Amino acid sequence: MARDQKYDILFDKVKIGPKVSPNRFFQTSHCAGVGSERPGTQALFRGTKAEGGWGVVFTEFCSIHPESDEFPYTSARLWDEGDVRNLGAMCDEIHKHGCLSGVQLWYGGIHSPRLESREVPRSASCLPSNLLPARTVYAAECDEDDIKAIINMYVLAAKRAQDAGFDLLEVTGGDSTVPIQFLERRYNKRTDKYGGSLENRARLYIEIMTALKKACGDTSAITTRFELDTLQGPHGLQAKDEGIRFVELMHREGVCDLWAVKIGDYEEWGEDAGTSRFRKSGWMLPFVRETKGVVGDTPVVVNGRYTSPDDMVAVIRGGIADIIGAARPSIADPFLPKKIEQGRPEDIRECIGCNQCVSKFNQSGLLNCTQNATAMEEYRRGWHPERFTKTSDPCSVLVVGGGPAGMECARVLGERGYDVHLREAEAELGGHLRDVIRYPRMNEWGRVTTYRQLQLSKMKNVEVHLGVGRMTADDVLAYGADKVVIATGSHWATDGLGAEGHGTLPGCDASLPTCLTPEQIMAGKPIPGERVVVLDGDGHFTGVSMAELAADLGKKVTLVTNMSDPAEYSQFTMEVQNNKRMMHEKGIAILRNHWVESYENGKLTLFYLYRHGWALTDPENGKMPRREGTDVTVLDADAVILVTSRVPNHGLFAELRQRRDEWEKNGLQAVYRVGDCHAPRQISDAVFDGHRLAREFDSEHPQYPLPWIRERQLWGSETVPALGDRRPVVEPAV
């Protein structure tokens, strides 16, 4: 199908310095957890996006020198020829599809942990890192020779990037890197020509860009990613003050071939990658809209979690930007541009803004995606987001349960050519997401369901049966399917069972009117009284959502958690600050590191997890080997909401396994389980579980994953660099 003509503008070519992008789709730099150490994963992950139509595809942040060692967080690196070789594979994959490759050149200054290199970074002033205040991370203050050395580091890394095949060389003036540490008053305490006035503080940033333009600008585009507003008020850069004034200064120098603009510094990274709970598509526009008017014909890239081509066209026709930038939407659907080009935007697998992707990076892990189970699996498992190996044995498969895992399993089985029946007890697909999307501001998570619902409806070999009620083992055995996949999900514990002590909580019983689970609340069970306590032993979004929901009903709410932060996982999704702001605004009290002794007669008795003494005592049976504390805190609680743990709904699977001797006479060959009924996990894991089983359905034991490629250095192979190699020269001659 031909694309709608109103989207033609998205496929215009755009000149970027000496390079030309084939369209207006631009995958801005984003973390993935692969860096230079997993070249195959990096190459196929980014290359798949180029295949899917992203005209420009960037690395994650790329360290230019061992002084900017971000370990344990995984950056790309351009430290030596080994990195050139490994990142070259990524460039090759991108170029296969006629697209441009970009690298973000990064020097972290005072924010570099340096846990591998142990080198000393340099910065505008010798200050402790405000991002890592507990880790004793400082940088040395630069003299003018140090400044020249930093510029030389950028140039040397840029030349390596050219050798690897990169087309765009981006200096990041985002995330509080060293150009910003010179530019911002709060970091720059200097009194020389690099401190004081805006012009002086901008000097290093402009000198870096000028040096790259001179050294590499004839054949490479020299670009920058700049945070117009750090969201720190007068304490930092502001869009309508020094943010836009810096753009004017840099533009006058004529050294920047493209501006990728953003908001939020390193502390407020969660506002650059805003979640759908707090930020809707296009939230940055008020901060960045003036850039284009300053830089004229120089292309401007704007991000905003755009998934709608209509929104993209509006940004371009509105004169705000020339190019649509994306990180998370390109992860959720690497083929988003192709689907618009092919006239099928309804098939776009839209980002839900959950930040599972970045949460894995923030745990020093590999990126994954709730919507796209193939992300990061393109090389190591050989998966492609749009192509599926057809089965040679198209047997019939019954999938019981239409939640995230069941829907995804049925979708992929259908793509592979199986005869699939997906049966859901309730009248709608979605499983527990039917509740989740009704939590405060969680509606975009419904895209997990709507995407799969549409894809399933297009397959003639897939039937979806809704509202059939819960299937019994007798129902399954009599159904006549060759194979069965159980995807019956999980439920919240009704007795307070959780991680703290792994026991039930005395007096907590959701069969009582004063104790409630999230499912019960969403099903209409009333929250009695005025004083409500949410017991959050889960630490993700449900506890804080229940607290907000109750507060919105006018309740006086206290959130009690055994963890050190409310919704502690939101540290990784970068929502922790806004969760705390929301709770403060709505008057929700927080009690950390406490748990329950008992709940009786409207009194919730809590204990502090660390109430026992620090000194160890001699061991004695039946006693704690510390001075035992007995102090408690008692809260008045008319209602207690139990968000303590989830329990798998594994009864159907267990009964079918017990009745294996009946399988053969009913023509049943195998029974598998996926998702939360196997073990409760995050939605991204449930979707992956269903996807993987379906991909490997014709393997010998599909319940258990096949081996995947592990990228690591094997003993005895060459090392780059080798001991004794000369250190690259960046210091100015003495």
Side-chain angles (χ1 to χ4, degrees):
M1 184 185 298
R3 69 170 179 256
D4 193 316
Q5 291 182 354
K6 66 182 177 180
Y7 303 141
D8 286 352
I9 193 172
L10 298 175
F11 297 90
D12 290 345
K13 294 181 179 180
V14 181
K15 190 174 187 302
I16 308 171
K19 300 292 183 177
V20 177
S21 172
N23 57 37
R24 298 182 188 267
F25 295 96
F26 189 107
Q27 182 246 279
T28 46
S29 58
H30 72 75
C31 301
V34 286
S36 308
E37 281 71 27
R38 292 181 174 92
T41 305
Q42 176 81 275
L44 270 293
F45 174 62
R46 309 287 182 181
T48 300
K49 297 186 187 192
E51 182 188 354
W54 294 90
V56 178
V57 179
F58 265 78
T59 61
E60 61 270 79
F61 67 137
C62 182
S63 169
I64 63 172
H65 192 274
E67 287 181 8
S68 183
D69 170 26
E70 308 307 317
F71 189 80
Y73 307 105
T74 303
S75 70
R77 291 168 170 174
L78 279 168
W79 294 358
D80 54 51
E81 292 308 307
D83 297 323
V84 171
R85 185 192 310 174
N86 282 1
L87 291 176
M90 169 188 156
C91 295
D92 291 344
E93 285 296 324
I94 292 168
H95 292 157
K96 280 181 185 178
H97 305 288
C99 299
L100 301 178
S101 58
V103 61
Q104 184 183 81
L105 303 175
W106 173 287
Y107 187 96
I110 70 170
H111 301 310
S112 295
R114 310 171 326 280
L115 295 185
E116 185 175 13
S117 74
R118 304 185 72 175
E119 296 205 16
V120 179
R122 312 176 219 202
S123 187
S125 304
C126 183
L127 297 169
S129 169
N130 49 297
L131 183 73
L132 306 169
R135 302 194 195 182
T136 320
V137 175
Y138 287 74
E141 182 172 319
C142 286
D143 62 21
E144 290 199 19
D145 281 347
D146 292 318
I147 289 171
K148 292 175 184 175
I150 288 175
I151 294 171
N152 289 340
M153 291 177 195
Y154 275 94
V155 171
L156 182 58
K159 289 180 176 179
R160 288 192 181 120
Q162 287 183 313
D163 291 343
F166 286 103
D167 304 291
L168 276 67
L169 312 178
E170 178 182 272
V171 173
T172 178
D175 303 312
S176 306
T177 50
V178 81
I180 297 299
Q181 291 164 31
F182 273 79
L183 186 60
E184 274 200 75
R185 286 180 294 247
R186 63 171 172 159
Y187 290 117
N188 189 332
K189 311 299 183 184
R190 304 174 72 91
T191 57
D192 62 0
K193 68 179 183 180
Y194 289 93
S197 68
L198 175 62
E199 290 76 9
N200 282 355
R201 287 180 279 117
R203 191 181 306 276
L204 174 67
Y205 200 155
I206 293 172
E207 286 181 349
I208 292 169
M209 295 291 290
T210 302
L212 293 188
K213 192 72 171 173
K214 180 179 178 181
C216 305
D218 288 345
T219 56
S220 301
I222 309 303
T223 74
T224 195
R225 185 155 165 81
F226 177 61
E227 54 196 33
L228 270 157
D229 200 307
T230 57
L231 306 181
Q232 302 289 346
H235 187 54
L237 295 175
Q238 292 187 283
K240 295 185 179 297
D241 184 19
E242 290 194 344
I244 198 66
R245 286 170 59 200
F246 171 75
V247 175
E248 293 169 350
L249 285 174
M250 176 86 88
H251 180 62
R252 284 202 296 266
E253 298 298 321
V255 293
C256 185
D257 293 323
L258 174 144
W259 289 82
V261 289
K262 65 184 287 288
I263 63 172
D265 59 8
Y266 219 171
E267 291 173 287
E268 291 288 354
W269 184 16
E271 297 293 9
D272 175 33
T275 65
S276 59
R277 287 183 61 230
F278 293 105
R279 301 288 175 256
K280 298 308 175 187
S281 179
W283 72 97
M284 297 188 201
L285 292 184
F287 297 90
V288 303
R289 66 186 326 128
E290 294 182 16
T291 307
K292 185 62 183 169
V294 171
V295 303
D297 292 336
T298 304
V300 172
V301 180
V302 168
N303 287 48
R305 207 173 70 252
Y306 293 109
T307 59
S308 162
D310 293 307
D311 291 344
M312 299 174 191
V313 169
V315 168
I316 293 167
R317 293 205 179 278
I320 298 168
D322 305 279
I323 297 173
I324 299 300
R328 292 167 294 169
S330 75
I331 300 167
D333 197 337
F335 276 68
L336 181 152
K338 285 288 187 188
K339 291 175 181 178
I340 298 171
E341 186 176 29
Q342 293 167 356
R344 49 190 191 98
E346 73 280 0
D347 289 331
I348 293 172
R349 194 167 44 247
E350 294 182 274
C351 172
I352 70 171
C354 64
N355 276 13
Q356 277 301 298
C357 49
V358 75
S359 77
K360 304 310 178 187
F361 168 81
N362 282 333
Q363 297 174 74
S364 301
L366 295 182
L367 168 154
N368 67 37
C369 177
T370 298
Q371 281 282 61
N372 178 15
T374 69
M376 306 302 291
E377 308 296 347
E378 300 88 352
Y379 172 71
R380 66 180 198 159
R381 294 185 199 266
W383 293 356
H384 189 281
E386 303 297 320
R387 292 197 292 270
F388 303 85
T389 303
K390 294 296 183 180
T391 180
S392 58
D393 180 20
C395 64
S396 62
V397 184
L398 168 65
V399 180
V400 182
M407 288 189 293
E408 182 72 355
C409 189
R411 181 184 78 88
V412 177
L413 287 170
E415 293 280 11
R416 296 198 59 213
Y418 289 95
D419 176 17
V420 182
H421 285 200
L422 172 62
R423 290 175 65 82
E424 165 56 40
E426 303 299 327
E428 296 179 353
L429 292 172
H432 77 288
L433 278 173
R434 291 190 299 269
D435 288 342
V436 169
I437 62 175
R438 294 187 292 128
Y439 294 176
R441 303 182 313 283
M442 295 281 285
N443 57 297
E444 284 190 35
W445 290 40
R447 293 171 173 179
V448 173
T449 301
T450 54
Y451 167 75
R452 288 161 180 82
Q453 193 169 24
L454 177 62
Q455 301 309 308
L456 291 167
S457 71
K458 291 184 175 186
M459 298 184 204
K460 294 181 180 179
N461 58 319
V462 176
E463 294 183 19
V464 178
H465 305 158
L466 302 176
V468 300
R470 293 189 177 185
M471 294 189 75
T472 65
D474 287 338
D475 295 332
V476 172
L477 289 168
Y479 197 81
D482 297 319
K483 296 180 181 180
V484 173
V485 178
I486 305 299
T488 46
S490 64
H491 63 274
W492 288 101
T494 59
D495 53 9
L497 176 70
E500 199 59 51
H502 292 123
T504 60
L505 302 179
C508 291
D509 179 356
S511 67
L512 302 172
T514 54
C515 290
L516 308 93
T517 66
E519 288 109 337
Q520 291 176 333
I521 291 171
M522 302 313 292
K525 182 176 179 179
I527 304 174
E530 177 187 359
R531 298 159 301 186
V532 175
V533 176
V534 177
L535 295 180
D536 185 10
D538 176 67
H540 200 182
F541 57 85
T542 302
V544 71
S545 294
M546 290 297 104
E548 184 177 4
L549 187 151
D552 289 346
L553 293 173
K555 309 293 184 181
K556 185 178 180 180
V557 181
T558 300
L559 185 142
V560 174
T561 179
N562 54 326
M563 302 172 204
S564 296
D565 252 324
E568 189 160 280
Y569 192 80
S570 66
Q571 294 178 17
F572 304 124
T573 61
M574 302 187 303
E575 299 168 284
V576 65
Q577 296 98 326
N578 282 332
N579 277 331
K580 291 178 179 178
R581 290 166 181 142
M582 177 275 292
M583 296 175 79
H584 178 72
E585 285 181 344
K586 298 195 175 190
I588 300 169
I590 305 167
L591 200 56
R592 302 168 174 85
N593 299 133
H594 281 72
W595 207 237
V596 177
E597 279 200 353
S598 65
Y599 179 47
E600 187 176 6
N601 299 324
K603 302 289 184 182
L604 185 67
T605 302
L606 306 170
F607 65 93
Y608 179 54
L609 298 186
Y610 307 105
R611 65 180 174 176
H612 303 311
W614 63 266
L616 291 176
T617 59
D618 292 339
E620 186 175 346
N621 287 344
K623 289 190 175 182
M624 175 74 69
R626 302 179 184 275
R627 177 195 57 78
E628 291 197 48
T630 58
D631 50 305
V632 296
T633 298
V634 179
L635 299 181
D636 292 322
D638 301 315
V640 174
I641 300 176
L642 302 172
V643 190
T644 56
S645 70
R646 289 179 291 154
V647 180
N649 300 326
H650 54 55
L652 178 58
F653 177 80
E655 184 176 350
L656 287 168
R657 293 275 289 183
Q658 289 171 358
R659 296 171 65 177
R660 291 187 68 162
D661 57 348
E662 300 177 47
W663 290 9
E664 185 175 356
K665 69 180 181 182
N666 286 283
L668 180 58
Q669 300 170 19
V671 178
Y672 309 110
R673 56 181 170 174
V674 294
D676 283 2
C677 75
H678 191 181
R681 284 158 287 172
Q682 293 172 336
I683 300 170
S684 59
D685 288 324
V687 171
F688 173 85
D689 206 19
H691 190 106
R692 186 212 58 77
L693 182 81
R695 285 270 187 180
E696 300 176 355
F697 205 64
D698 40 15
S699 66
E700 187 177 5
H701 299 293
Q703 186 69 65
Y704 306 103
L706 292 171
W708 39 269
I709 296 172
R710 294 177 55 210
E711 294 187 81
R712 77 279 198 196
Q713 183 175 342
L714 296 180
W715 187 251
S717 59
E718 66 168 328
T719 64
V720 179
L723 288 178
D725 283 359
R726 186 169 183 257
R727 180 182 176 87
V729 178
V730 295
E731 311 300 332
V734 178

